[in-house]
Amino acid sequence: MALPKAELHLHIEGTLEPELAFALAERNGVSLPYAGTEDLRTAYLFSDLQSFLDLYYALMAVLRTADDFTELADAYLTRAAAQGVRHAEIFFDPQAHTARGVPIGTVIEGLAHALDRGEERHGVSTQLIMCFLRDEPAESAMETLDAAKPYLHHIAGVGLDSAEAGHPPAGFREVYAAAESLGLRKVAHAGEEGPPAYIWEALDILGVERIDHGLRALEDPELVARLVRDAVPLTVCPLSNVRLRAVDTLEDHPLRAMMDAGLLVTVNSDDPAYFGGYVGDTFHAVREALALSQEQLRELARNSFRASFLDHDELRRERYLAEVDSYDFDAAG
Ligand code: HPA
Ligand code: ZN
């Protein structure tokens, strides 16, 4: 049995495995510019965030129907459950689909169909977080929030993703204020490639409750002190950071330094189909590369539930935390 954990930084479109991409391409009559799954995998050599995003958006062409989104989410839940995930807060990128003519309702209802059965089928509770593309205009984000209004019962919060550099959080002040007034939780990617100033903006201008990535906070001691003081969770994605060259190797990853600094860090997979592992694989990889102790792994698992949006269901959070506390590493092997 795997260590119980929550996954808080996972883009559902980033779980599109080559095999499913080709199957959906065939079903939907979409042609992909790759000879097959092996050929496609050779394209997974990224130099930075943008080089990944180019492929990530291109492959989404195969996602067309509600069933496609259901199948995608169900495949993720199957894999996540096998790696100990008990709770997942899942990002999706509606603008990447509406721009291709796929209605937002198709996307949300397709995903929700799988997620609503997640607990019963896979033992995984879920929430959905709608991300705005920060390299698109803020007006488009606002239109997306408006278009999502009939589906808000499926959505727990909003996030901000895509190309970070040159697209600071401040531009999204109004749409985040509107999201808050609709009762949505708020998170944002910041400090993945962008500077510490973007993390300050996400906190102070957007009012986010969690920072996705947040790696570059370490460049600013005052910011680290603020994040520690307020126990702001950071959803760190070590395999993503290596693949997108934010850090050179996993051995160089500052995860352990972040924990030692008192930051509330969690470990996540980001886009597991592209970055070489799901969240359980990521725990194993950082354990090896950074020589983390069992108690440090347990702390990361505890943090994941502490940082989750389970405030409406504290009993469930307590149950998950109790599972972490009683987890026997030696029995699990
Ligand atoms: N960063 C920004 N945008 C993204 C990512 C990421 O790691 N994955 C999918 N969209
Ligand atoms: Zn991400």
Side-chain angles (χ1 to χ4, degrees):
M1 193 187 81
L3 176 64
K5 55 184 79 69
E7 175 144 62
L8 307 178
H9 187 154
L10 179 280
H11 302 264
I12 198 66
E13 296 90 346
T15 69
L16 179 58
E17 294 284 344
E19 290 72 19
L20 182 58
F22 275 94
L24 294 179
E26 170 139 10
R27 189 158 95 193
N28 292 327
V30 174
S31 76
L32 290 174
Y34 300 95
T37 55
E38 283 319 304
D39 185 35
L40 172 54
R41 279 202 168 85
T42 65
Y44 289 16
L45 278 178
F46 309 114
S47 51
D48 57 10
L49 175 56
Q50 188 62 57
S51 65
F52 154 69
L53 291 170
D54 291 344
L55 181 65
Y56 169 79
Y57 293 125
L59 273 196
M60 288 184 202
V62 304
L63 295 165
R64 303 229 51 103
T65 69
D67 280 350
D68 299 342
F69 287 93
T70 302
E71 216 171 301
L72 179 69
D74 204 54
Y76 164 68
L77 291 173
T78 303
R79 287 170 184 266
Q83 299 202 358
V85 173
R86 292 281 189 282
H87 177 74
E89 300 185 359
I90 299 175
F91 295 137
F92 71 111
D93 286 327
Q95 289 154 291
H97 308 300
T98 54
R100 303 180 290 108
V102 179
I104 195 167
T106 298
V107 178
I108 297 175
E109 287 183 336
L111 293 173
H113 189 57
L115 303 186
D116 288 349
R117 298 176 306 177
E119 178 125 48
E120 172 197 330
R121 285 198 172 187
H122 306 284
V124 182
S125 54
T126 61
Q127 293 184 8
L128 207 43
I129 300 178
M130 180 169 81
C131 284
F132 304 118
L133 302 185
R134 68 200 309 155
D135 47 357
E136 294 293 327
E139 293 72 30
S140 170
M142 194 64 100
E143 286 163 17
T144 303
L145 183 63
D146 270 335
K149 282 183 181 162
Y151 310 99
L152 289 186
H153 53 289
H154 291 303
I155 295 175
V158 296
L160 189 64
D161 66 1
S162 203
E164 186 181 8
H167 302 287
F172 296 85
R173 178 201 302 258
E174 285 177 18
V175 70
Y176 268 68
E180 180 177 334
S181 68
L182 291 169
L184 295 167
R185 312 295 294 254
K186 299 180 294 180
V187 301
H189 283 53
E192 179 184 20
E193 288 190 344
Y198 286 18
I199 302 177
W200 284 110
E201 283 185 18
L203 294 171
D204 292 336
I205 297 180
L206 304 186
V208 304
E209 300 174 74
R210 293 198 299 245
I211 296 288
D212 296 312
H213 291 296
L215 214 57
R216 290 191 60 191
L218 296 174
E219 296 168 25
D220 181 345
E222 217 178 303
L223 176 57
V224 171
R226 161 77 181 277
L227 294 166
V228 171
R229 184 195 76 193
D230 293 349
V232 178
L234 305 180
T235 63
V236 176
C237 306
L239 295 181
S240 167
N241 298 148
V242 173
R243 292 296 183 102
L244 302 187
R245 312 276 187 90
V247 299
D248 289 336
T249 70
L250 208 51
E251 286 72 18
D252 299 314
H253 197 284
L255 177 72
R256 182 190 263 279
M258 297 171 94
M259 295 175 76
D260 291 345
L263 290 162
L264 206 175
V265 290
T266 67
V267 163
N268 307 269
S269 68
D270 207 2
D271 299 284
Y274 294 90
F275 300 150
Y278 286 75
V279 68
D281 306 317
T282 310
F283 268 72
H284 285 296
V286 293
R287 179 178 69 185
E288 294 296 314
L290 303 174
L292 298 184
S293 67
Q294 290 181 352
E295 287 319 305
Q296 284 174 309
L297 296 174
R298 200 186 302 278
E299 179 186 337
L300 289 168
R302 288 187 61 82
N303 286 353
S304 71
F305 293 114
R306 281 181 63 200
S308 69
F309 291 151
L310 279 169
D311 315 58
H312 61 287
D313 198 352
E314 289 295 346
L315 279 177
R316 180 187 293 273
R317 195 198 316 262
E318 291 306 320
R319 180 157 54 80
Y320 290 145
L321 284 168
E323 277 188 55
V324 174
D325 288 341
S326 63
Y327 182 74
D328 183 344
F329 284 91
D330 298 316

